[in-house]
Amino acid sequence: MICRVKNRDVGFTISLGLVSSLALTLNVWGVQQAFAQTKLPDVTVDAPKPKARQTVQRTQATSTRNAQRRVATRNLPPRAPVPYVTPSTGTIGAPPSPYAGGQVASGGGLGLLGNRGVMDTPFNQTSFTSQLIQNQQARTIRDVLINDPSVRTIQAAGGGADSLFIRGFYYDSGDYALNGLAGIAPYYSTGANFIERVELLKGPAALLNGMTVGGTGASSGGAVGGSVNLVTKHAPETDITQLTTTYASRTQFGEQVDVSRRYGEHKEWGVRLNSKYSNGNTPWDRQTDEFGNAHLAVDYHGENVRIDADIGYQADKLNPPLRFFSVGATTTSIAAPPSSGTNFQMPWAYYAPTDFFSTIKGEVDLNEHITAYAGFGYHDSNINYRYTSPILGNNGSLTGTPLTGSETYKTYAGEAGLRLTADTGPVNHAINVGYSVTDRTYTQRVVTGTLSASTPWNLYRDPSNIALPGFSSTLAANQIVGANLWSVGVSDTMSILDKRIQLTVGARRQTAGTEITNYFAPASSRPFADTSVWTPAYALVIKPVQQVSLYANYIEGLQTPAVVTGNFSNVGTVFPPGQTKQVEAGIKVDFGRITTTLSAFDISRPSIISVSTAGVALPTQVLNGLQRNTGAEFNVFGEVTPTLRLLGGVAYTHGVQEKTQGGTTDGKRAIGVPELTANIGAEWDTPFVRDLTLTGRFVYTGAQYVNASNTLSLPDWTRVDLGARYTFTSPWNGKPIVVRASVENVFNKAYWASAYSGVITLGAPRTYLVSTTFNF
């Protein structure tokens, strides 16, 4: 049988963002925008041959075609094609549906375990949707994650990077996963425009995803407090042709384009293009930001085979970037923050990262119970920069050494495995076997400049009069770092009584190795050395009633293995990956249109300390230090009423140092871990103006300690955001137009936002955001 598709108009948009994001790296400041309408040529599609295994969907589709032939003379409209269904053992083409209110999804991806619904997940996970991203006018992923009380960004606003604290532990900007592949997302910051879901998993996840390479690969935070997976946009069943114009204070104008189509008898083929471009002055004094990206997604979702392919490019140029402040060794108190929006950076500083990234993932259903899967990702990140990282002294005095240099990160990631289901009597088994590998090569070359000793520089004074210093050929850093991680994991989720009781047992064998070639300090070089470790995990879900889930888990996280160097008695020793251990328990209640989660956790992360032994001349390094974070979280999302939506929660985290160097800070609070954080966001569809929605968000962060001895601290801070959106019908094509406006940090509060490992950062000033979305 031959089916022909004729004279189908397809809108295709050549995006300003696609052109501008590529021109950005070439420093092309002029931009153009064009739109074109075209027709596809006639396409001949051969119908698939019948197979032994027929799905319900294929039977319905065949019946539909026969019926259409019988009534063709009546010119009845054809019935819509029925897409193929992804089985429970698959993940591609079957993201969990949005929950009531549309701000979060009803489930998310759990790596080795596949997709799970919220009530069947024995962990605390939130999956933010593209609807939330668009309605909140999120620019990068940090704007999305601010909605969760257990997450706080620790890089400076206006600094171009999205590192985090999750449950009080560091999460590196180089650890973000893209479509389940760790380290493949843009390295420093990811534009939110091409992201369908932001999946936040709180707590370590070595069994689920393997260890992360983190940063340079030589040392890694290990994503032990949580992890973030970004799911890219792919073509839905309905066509999309959308243009969004944007504005951010002070004069940051931009646009976003989203074009999507599906083709084929069963809509097997999909194509989606997303792009973004913005340029202009930011809310910070004297700062401009030019940002662009383009992302193309192509997929095939057939009866037994599904393939998703993604390719993207992103570039950013900040002039000058806002950096974190190092705290001087002689600093006795933290100065008050400067007035909101003050730019303390030199006028000649810049920060220019570029990222090329791609993923391809495939699944094959071997039969009704077994699916084989594989995926591969490649990421090439480059950054050129010139700036001074200031050291903050008493009374707001600043010092620092100007740096200029370049860094590259080349990352490969892959995975392969099987997911299968089987029954043994009353017990259903969901078995997963997977292999994963990540390889990163980091190169760095930095030279220094010299500021005049008489140059005044202060936190409260504009440094525009400080001239560009000369940069000598003296190297400050010159090295190549390699990291290779691979692992094999297996898990079995056993359930009975229609999944009312679910027990997950699993283990992963992780091998991790690193090498360093340091041309600047050859003594710090070391050959490739690897080591392996087993990481088990256990998790339980009990549903006493269908709307209530009690859950508990024990799971571990892994940090990069360290090699002892320097003047120690055990020099050359390779420590195994540090094993962070978590115990967690909680309860989830789904009230139908609103869900709440209450959880308690205890996480212990090891660290390396030095000990002295009687009769041994040199000290010995041991993996025996410890930071312990215990806490509780309450999260809520969904609809209180059909016109009122809530999203947020409260988190209490008590971070304590244990087994510290010489015991000098035992019992002291952990750096940068506020005891109390809270978020509450609300959306209200007003009854007095149809299609008008008012929005608001409250963000609170408690006081934090800056140093291990707890002699320096940052005060607590509160941020209030307000906004509105209005939807009306276009007079030109009858399709909706959505206008959004919001103000972040309404009261323009100046505050120190976060502390981490001896550095502190400023919060963002008041920021106005306006956008208009047109549908064609």
Side-chain angles (χ1 to χ4, degrees), residues 232-255:
T232 56
K233 290 180 177 178
H234 277 255
E237 294 179 28
T238 56
D239 292 347
I240 298 173
T241 305
Q242 193 173 88
L243 169 67
T244 299
T245 60
T246 64
Y247 168 82
S249 58
R250 298 176 178 168
T251 57
Q252 183 84 195
F253 294 94
E255 57 78 35

Side-chain angles (χ1 to χ4, degrees), residues 81 131 147 222 258 275 280 289 313 399 401 405 419 428-429 480 485 497 499 519 521-522 540 600 615 656 662 762 765:
Q131 177 178 321
N147 290 286
D258 187 357
S275 66
D289 186 13
Y313 178 79
T399 59
T401 301
R419 299 189 192 96
N428 175 262
H429 298 265
I480 300 175
L485 318 173
L497 303 177
K499 296 187 177 181
Y519 301 104
L540 178 66
V656 177
L762 283 171

Side-chain angles (χ1 to χ4, degrees), residues 84-284:
Y84 293 114
V85 173
T86 301
S88 61
T89 50
T91 61
I92 295 177
S97 61
Y99 189 74
Q103 295 182 308
V104 302
S106 58
L110 288 178
L112 187 68
L113 303 185
N115 289 343
R116 290 285 186 92
V118 169
M119 303 300 285
D120 293 316
T121 298
F123 307 98
N124 194 328
Q125 184 188 51
T126 304
S127 182
F128 301 101
T129 66
S130 58
Q131 177 178 321
L132 174 137
I133 291 172
Q134 189 172 44
N135 284 337
Q136 293 190 353
Q137 303 181 84
R139 290 143 291 171
T140 68
I141 300 305
R142 68 185 288 155
D143 297 328
V144 181
L145 294 172
I146 191 62
N147 290 286
D148 193 282
S150 297
V151 179
R152 288 296 181 262
T153 56
I154 60 175
Q155 286 282 1
D162 289 352
S163 298
L164 311 169
F165 264 147
I166 306 177
R167 284 187 171 174
F169 289 108
Y170 180 66
Y171 184 77
D172 192 86
S173 63
D175 279 335
Y176 283 88
L178 190 71
N179 296 323
L181 298 170
I184 301 301
Y187 186 91
Y188 294 97
S189 182
T190 303
N193 60 299
F194 64 92
I195 301 302
E196 182 69 33
R197 298 280 167 84
V198 178
E199 296 176 339
L200 168 66
L201 176 65
K202 286 173 276 190
L207 171 72
L208 308 180
N209 305 309
M211 69 179 293
T212 60
V213 65
T216 67
S219 61
S220 168
V224 297
S227 54
V228 181
N229 178 46
L230 308 178
V231 181
T232 56
K233 290 180 177 178
H234 277 255
E237 294 179 28
T238 56
D239 292 347
I240 298 173
T241 305
Q242 193 173 88
L243 169 67
T244 299
T245 60
T246 64
Y247 168 82
S249 58
R250 298 176 178 168
T251 57
Q252 183 84 195
F253 294 94
E255 57 78 35
Q256 300 175 19
V257 168
D258 187 357
V259 181
S260 175
R261 297 291 185 271
R262 294 208 72 86
Y263 305 100
E265 182 182 8
H266 293 273
K267 295 192 175 183
E268 300 96 328
W269 298 94
V271 180
R272 190 165 185 176
L273 171 68
N274 279 270
S275 66
K276 173 181 179 178
Y277 178 79
S278 62
N279 194 5
N281 296 321
T282 75
W284 298 92

